[in-house]
């Protein structure tokens, strides 16, 4: 249990709760849920420019990272087809991968196919079910993809001024504006209560909020004097109590709750809002192909990690389809901006390629 780990090392409840957010981020779990300690480890492992456990902003937004990877690939001869939806994986006579078929009917042939889509999309939508072992399909269908995350992107006409650290008279960013700001994290019990509400189908009445202002470090993201604020919030269930869906009224009601909470810490925040974009779990699934809205393509629980990710006997990036590999967050070691799954899958694919 994460709670036991934090209680062993720390006394301050606000500190314990702030650290606990990295143990439940993206997870439909509370700090008291068994196994939550691993998710914290997952988020603090690794290093950035020699600093262990450090995080950073990507200049130009997260899309700039994808663009850099694309440039590196094309410089080495890769051809990239953007905005070209894949209809299904092309199979040979022996059931092996032979390329992909795009929705416009174009066939792209290859000896190997690597998919960084979720296991559900890869194996339940892009492959004919009769080509896969029945027990494999059943396990993929049973993966826990519950997600508590609602992401809210906000445009504001001035920096938020927090009661705990008011803005300077010149309105220039202060050190805390350059960090991840955690709200509603005064104690781990608050996080547990927020989880409990969502577990019963109700969006948290006092949600956990991680607030970042990337435009402070990357001014090109917003006009002078204005800023973009990223709100990573939870807990919100994929399906509301009574089977209700997330309609516009439900989206706005939850966003208003989040904004009311921020207003308590930074009076004037709501008046500074120019626009907002609300992405609930169903929105994250529809727009980004995240099953259940899960940012990791599936829960990072102990029964879905290591040799069991995505399923036992297929944790080594290969799949039941020869020549088809899984290289996204649904593969070992899971989600996060680290590229480990892609790197490992590439090594396996290269090894196999030499024998084709």
């Amino acid at each position: 249990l994460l709670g036991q780990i934090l209680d062993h090392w720390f006394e301050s409840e606000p500190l314990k709760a702030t650290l606990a957010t990295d143990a439940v981020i993206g997870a439909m779990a509370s700090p008291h849920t068994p196994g939550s300690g691993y998710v914290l480890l997952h988020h603090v492992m690794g290093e950035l420019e020699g600093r262990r456990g450090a995080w950073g902003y990507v200049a130009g937004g997260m899309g700039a990272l994808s663009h850099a990877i694309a440039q590196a690939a094309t410089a080495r001869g890769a051809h990239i087809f953007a905005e070209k939806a894949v209809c299904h994986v092309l199979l040979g006579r022996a059931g092996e991968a032979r390329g992909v078929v795009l929705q416009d009917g174009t066939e792209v042939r290859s000896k190997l196919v690597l998919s960084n889509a979720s296991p559900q999309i890869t194996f339940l939508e892009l492959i004919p079910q009769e080509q896969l072992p029945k027990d494999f399909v059943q396990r993929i269908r049973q993966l826990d993809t519950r997600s508590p995350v609602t992401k809210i992107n906000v445009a504001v006409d001035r920096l938020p001024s927090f009661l705990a650290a008011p803005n300077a008279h010149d309105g220039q960013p202060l050190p805390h504006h350059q960090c991840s700001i955690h709200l509603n994290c005064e104690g781990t019990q608050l996080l547990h209560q927020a989880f409990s509400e969502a577990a019963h189908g109700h969006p948290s009445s006092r949600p956990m909020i991680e607030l970042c202002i990337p435009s402070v470090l990357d001014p090109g993201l917003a006009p002078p004097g204005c800023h973009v604020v990223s709100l990573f919030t939870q807990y919100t269930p994929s399906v509301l109590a009574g089977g209700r869906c997330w309609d516009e009224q439900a989206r706005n009601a939850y966003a208003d709750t989040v904004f009311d909470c921020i207003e308590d810490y930074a009076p004037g925040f709501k008046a500074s809002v120019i626009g907002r974009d609300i992405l609930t779990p169903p929105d994250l699934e529809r727009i980004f192909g995240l099953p259940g809205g899960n940012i990791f393509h599936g829960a990072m629980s102990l029964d879905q990690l290591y040799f069991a990710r995505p399923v036992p006997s297929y944790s080594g990036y290969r799949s039941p389809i020869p020549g088809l590999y899984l290289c996204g967050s649904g593969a070992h070691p899971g989600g996060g901006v680290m590229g480990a799954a892609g790197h490992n899958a590439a090594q396996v694919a290269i090894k196999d390629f030499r024998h084709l």
Side-chain angles (χ1 to χ4, degrees), residues 20 29-30 33 94 102 129 131 188 195 211 222 243 286 337 345 356:
S30 116
T33 301
L102 306 183
Q129 300 301 278
Q131 297 290 330
T188 53
F195 160 75
L211 184 155
R286 173 177 51 84
V337 187
L356 292 176

Side-chain angles (χ1 to χ4, degrees), residues 100-353:
V100 296
V101 179
L102 306 183
Q103 282 190 346
D104 63 7
T106 303
E107 292 187 359
V108 182
R109 294 187 173 270
S110 172
K111 292 182 179 180
L112 302 178
V113 176
L114 288 88
S115 172
N116 78 334
S118 68
Q120 290 84 348
I121 289 178
T122 302
F123 299 116
L124 302 182
E125 296 185 23
L126 302 183
I127 299 290
Q129 300 301 278
E130 62 272 14
Q131 297 290 330
L132 296 168
K134 288 185 178 180
D135 60 336
F136 176 84
V137 172
Q138 184 68 9
R139 282 186 174 274
I140 296 295
R141 292 188 187 280
Q142 291 176 337
L143 289 176
D144 178 6
T145 60
R146 292 174 300 158
S147 171
V149 176
T150 287
K151 179 78 185 300
I152 306 176
N153 301 309
V154 191
V156 296
D157 61 12
R158 58 186 178 274
L159 277 175
S161 183
F162 295 91
L163 292 172
N167 288 358
H169 292 299
D170 58 7
Q172 291 301 303
L174 297 173
H176 66 272
H177 289 120
Q178 304 174 37
C179 304
S180 176
I181 300 170
H182 296 223
L183 307 179
N184 289 343
C185 297
E186 287 81 357
T188 53
Q189 189 56 35
L190 278 177
L191 303 182
H192 180 72
Q193 179 60 34
F195 160 75
S196 297
E197 290 175 315
H200 291 89
H202 304 287
S204 302
S205 57
R206 193 175 177 189
M208 180 186 100
I209 302 169
E210 287 197 25
L211 184 155
C212 293
I213 314 172
S215 52
V216 168
L217 295 173
D218 190 2
L221 296 177
C226 297
H227 289 277
V228 290
V229 178
S230 172
L231 304 176
F232 193 96
T233 79
Q234 53 190 82
Y235 297 78
T236 50
S238 292
V239 179
L240 301 171
R244 293 182 299 114
C245 295
W246 281 96
D247 56 20
E248 203 61 30
Q249 181 180 359
R251 279 192 190 89
N252 284 312
Y254 175 72
D256 289 342
T257 296
V258 171
F259 282 37
D260 286 342
C261 288
I262 299 174
E263 185 77 12
D264 290 339
Y265 292 94
F269 175 78
K270 291 199 292 187
S272 72
V273 174
I274 301 172
R276 67 188 190 185
D277 182 28
I278 309 162
L279 300 172
T280 63
D283 298 319
L284 294 172
E285 179 170 30
R286 173 177 51 84
I287 298 170
F288 301 108
L290 302 175
N294 193 292
I295 61 173
F296 303 125
H297 286 184
M300 298 285 286
S301 51
L302 294 179
D303 60 324
Q304 294 186 175
L305 289 170
Y306 302 109
F307 66 87
R309 193 169 189 90
V311 298
S313 75
Y314 288 103
S315 59
Y317 308 100
R318 297 182 181 94
S319 76
I321 303 296
L324 174 62
Y325 304 82
L326 196 67
C327 64
S329 295
H332 173 75
V337 187
M338 57 181 169
H343 172 273
N344 294 349
Q347 300 305 309
V348 173
I350 290 170
K351 180 180 178 181
D352 291 352
F353 188 75

